[in-house]
Amino acid sequence: MRVLVTGGVRSGKSRHAEQLLSRAPLVTYLAPGRPADGSDPDWDARVAQHRARRPAHWRTVETADVAAAVREADGAVLVDCLGTWLTALLDRDQLWEADSREIHTAVEGRVSALCDALAAARDVVVVTNEVGLGVVPSHRSGVLFRDLLGTANQRVSAVCEEVHLVIAGRVLTL
């Protein structure tokens, strides 16, 4: 079963995604954001909270190459989350200020590779942020992120059997 879990920040998405795989004997947790490195205490605390919640037998892989990690994983896979993955891609390839066409071409290729990997996977849960319900960004980087993640969410949703919307800790299956 492939499930996309979406919702706002601090809505309970990650906790719900973890519960969906709580009975799986083998889980690979893919963390595509930047690792805790001491440069941002708030981010480091969030990473520590997520680590503490995961069962000890889950394998954690920190990588921005989520497509390859999904293909290589044994057992169930949890990707948390597409928003941090997209940010990591834009940061790594220094695309924030690039030409719009260059940015969209680069991200489209990676989204296609991810969707191909997800479509071939059996048990995978992908967490993402729902960006279409919030404030309209006033800066180019915010508009860029919203548009790219919104498109990625639609593409990933198309290869999933279920989409779960989490709001205030409540889950609605779409």
Side-chain angles (χ1 to χ4, degrees):
M1 173 76 75
R2 289 179 301 277
V3 179
L4 177 65
V5 177
T6 188
V9 173
R10 297 290 195 196
S11 62
K13 301 179 306 287
S14 295
R15 189 175 304 274
H16 173 64
E18 292 161 2
Q19 289 172 348
L20 290 173
L21 295 175
S22 64
R23 293 194 174 137
L26 181 60
V27 176
T28 300
Y29 182 100
L30 300 180
R34 66 177 182 76
D37 61 6
S39 66
D40 181 345
D42 292 333
W43 177 256
D44 292 354
R46 187 175 285 202
V47 169
Q49 179 186 39
H50 278 249
R51 285 180 180 156
R53 234 184 16 230
R54 291 195 294 266
H57 70 279
W58 285 18
R59 179 175 166 248
T60 299
V61 176
E62 293 180 348
T63 181
D65 193 353
V66 176
V70 167
R71 286 190 303 271
E72 295 167 6
D74 293 322
V77 176
L78 194 157
V79 179
D80 195 358
C81 87
L82 291 184
T84 56
W85 171 71
L86 177 61
T87 300
L89 294 178
L90 294 169
D91 286 347
R92 185 190 69 199
D93 295 345
Q94 299 177 349
L95 291 171
W96 289 105
E97 299 302 324
D99 175 77
S100 291
R101 224 178 332 203
E102 178 186 354
I103 297 166
H104 286 274
T105 300
V107 172
E108 171 63 26
R110 290 184 179 92
V111 170
S112 292
L114 174 59
C115 288
D116 290 345
L118 293 172
R122 287 192 24 209
D123 293 317
V124 63
V125 177
V126 180
V127 177
T128 192
N129 297 302
E130 183 52 53
V131 291
L133 301 175
V135 175
V136 175
S138 60
H139 299 287
R140 179 180 187 263
S141 59
V143 171
L144 177 68
F145 180 81
R146 179 201 60 198
D147 293 351
L148 291 169
L149 187 57
T151 300
N153 287 348
Q154 290 178 53
R155 297 273 314 280
V156 170
S157 170
V159 298
C160 291
E161 286 91 5
E162 291 185 7
V163 176
H164 296 182
L165 175 62
V166 182
I167 298 176
R170 301 284 184 118
V171 180
L172 177 64
T173 301
L174 304 177

